[in-house]
Amino acid sequence: MTNFPPPAEELRYLDAELRQLDARRAVLLARRAWLINTLYAAPPAPPVRRTEATAPSVQNVLLVLGGILLTVAAIAFTLVSWGHMGIAGRALVLGAVTLAALGVPVPLLRRGLRSTAEAVAGLGLALTVLDAYALHEVAFTGVQATGYAAAASAVLAGVWAAYGVGIGVLAPTEPAGPVEGEEPHGVHTGPLPLRLPLPLALLAAQLPLLLWAFAVDAGPVTVTAAVLATAAADTAVALLVSLKPVRITAAVTAVGMGAWGVLAAGWLSWSASDPSSAARAAGLLALAAVIALIAAWHAPEPKLALGTALTGGLLLVAAVGGVLRASLPGEWTVPGCLMCGVALLAAVRTHLPDAVRRGLVAASACVQALAVSWTLPLVALAVVGPLGWVERIWSAAPADARAAALTTDLPWPAHSATGPLVLIVVAGVLVLAGRGTVWRVQALTVALVLGVAAVFVVPAVLELPYVVGMVVQGLVVVAVLALAGAAARPAEPEEPDEGATAVRSPLPATAVILTLITSLSLACVALASRTATLVVLAVLVVVFAAAAAWRRESGVCCAPAALTYATALTCAIGSAAAWQPQHTALLVLAVPVVAAVVAARLEGSPMTVPVEVTGAAAGLLAIGLAFTDPPVLALVLGLAGVIASGTALRPDRRHIGYVAAALFLLAAWVRLASWGVGTPEAYTLPVTVPALVLGVVRRRRDPQVSSWTAYAPGLAVTLVPSLLAAWGDPDWPRPLLLGAAALAVTLLGARHHLQAPLVLGGTVLALVALHELAPYIAQVVGALPRWVPPALAGLALLALGATYEQRLRDARRVREALGRFR
């Protein structure tokens, strides 16, 4: 708008627009109300019924039921009504019905009724089985039933396969029109119109060889060979035939028959008592392995190829292992199987498919893992068995290393002489196989564990003399500890990568853990002899101390280990010298001294806390050893307090001063108790004086600190026990001294305006005075007449009532005065 109307005209225009809007709103509201009423008044829509079965499902069920009923009828006719007809009639009826059932699918397929054709064809195939049975009952009654069944199953398999292929010539390979539930016309579903005959032919083909073996009374080997041959044929069909139903059926039957054959061959190999029987079983296992490897070679999927190759490799090893078990001594069975498993690694250098090679490598790994698990009882007994010497310390040195390990009732593992060889072979394989791979460090770590276990069990396996066995195991400890130190050195990278992340190798930590375990086992072995105990513990102390000083990275474990073995050495020295435990405790205190000195020189190293904790544990052991002798216990506590005081001198260990003070206090208390001192002040004043001194120092540094925080703990430590003793003391010196001390504390609190001393001192002074006046109060109460206490109680109640009335009157006056205000 370029020209604005006058205000009156514009106002008239706006009023007209508003009236139109109100009218439009009224129309819309009326329409909305009508729609709401209509919706509420309308009947509910009928629920839609959910279809529980689709038309194709109903069709298939009907066809299957019809085929089954017709088959049952045919069987009943054959078995029951057969005798009422002559030979020609019987042949004519069964032949006509069979031919009709087999011929009807052709026109059905041409009309597009594929499902019906499948059902009728299934009926015809079932009738062929009845024809074979009828033929045996009429014409071949003298033929053995099992042999006839084998031949009949072979013939039926061929006839069904020919029928499945031949019907594709007589009928189109595509449905003539769309069929409900199936693929639309023009989409190829397969090269053959019927899916049923060929899978059924394949199922029938599972029986001829097996039934033939039973017919000729073949042995278990022949029966197993027949089963494996059938599995081989199924595997070939599964790999060569492209029809999906046939391929799936062949795969299922191949797995089933193959598993049956493998289990039977494995049982034959396990139960073989001579090399010839084992060789026959090995041949069967080898046949199964060849089938699996061929299937892996031609498998369409990598996962399937990997699994079948793994199975084939394990079957090859089992075949050779069965022969070795029957031909060689028992201790060489596992090493022989292990070598066969290692030989499977040669597949890595071949031109086999990648999945097959990985499957064979996995089979080799499984064999090696099983071989290592066979050695675990031997290793566990050699490492953990010596722990039993803790209960028989210095009883008698055993004859050899095996007797040193057999401290329990557990028997020595049978055929374990080659256990170390198995461990060494697997360790060597890991070292060689891990070269140049991303898992090289992990392979070396596992190889180290296996190698240490192998060498450590050698003395027990070879029954070496007791001393020689300890020497060998000690050399293992030293060698592994040296390896841990060498592996902990940082290596210079050949080509540093800016984006690469440094990964810490587990080899040093694993080596340290192995050292600790083997050293503990060695120390337990040494407990059988006094001399061996002292020598081994001393050597272990030196070895671990040198390792901690050589490499700080391994010192976190080695330094505490050195102190632990030093503690054990001091206890052994005390026992060897026939000292009492409390006297040995003084020698054990040398370990906390060394720990405190070493921790002070480490200057924040990661070893500091482990060393201090180990030293504290040794100190607690010393206190425990001296616990039965109070004078020596007081000395031990005092020396421990000195050690803690020296540690508290370090700026980062100031809090240890509280521990030192507690140790000194305990030492004083134990000493006083050993002297027979029963005065409580002798125990409390050593606490009160330092506590008050600390309170004074703290108040000077921070004037805002309350006197209750600074002085109350120290004063209460002495005043409360002394007050309790004074109340039970009939003499006058203790109450007099306590009252004087309480008066001094009260006066000091009043002089310096301190609440805690004033309250505590005044309270104790009043209680002491009450204690002193108690006899006189009792005398006065006893001299009074008996009516005085009730009278006094009555006066008190009257006074209380008067006071209560006065308070009520004052409150009433205040209320009236307030009411007069306007």
Side-chain angles (χ1 to χ4, degrees), residues 115-136:
S115 298
T116 307
E118 292 279 3
V120 177
L123 174 62
L125 298 179
L127 289 175
T128 58
V129 178
L130 295 177
D131 290 338
Y133 169 75
L135 187 62
H136 178 267

Side-chain angles (χ1 to χ4, degrees), residues 333-363:
T333 302
V334 175
C337 295
L338 175 61
M339 298 308 299
C340 295
V342 173
L344 293 178
L345 294 176
V348 178
R349 304 295 181 182
T350 62
H351 297 287
L352 294 172
D354 181 66
V356 178
R357 285 189 281 112
R358 288 189 288 111
L360 292 176
V361 171

Side-chain angles (χ1 to χ4, degrees), residues 5-15:
E9 183 66 22
E10 185 178 359
L11 181 60
R12 185 187 63 79
Y13 176 75
L14 292 177
D15 290 339

Side-chain angles (χ1 to χ4, degrees), residues 27 54 181 205 239 273 337 441 470 474 705 761 800:
V27 172
T54 61
L239 295 175
S273 58
C337 295
V441 177
M470 285 193 298
V705 175
L800 181 61

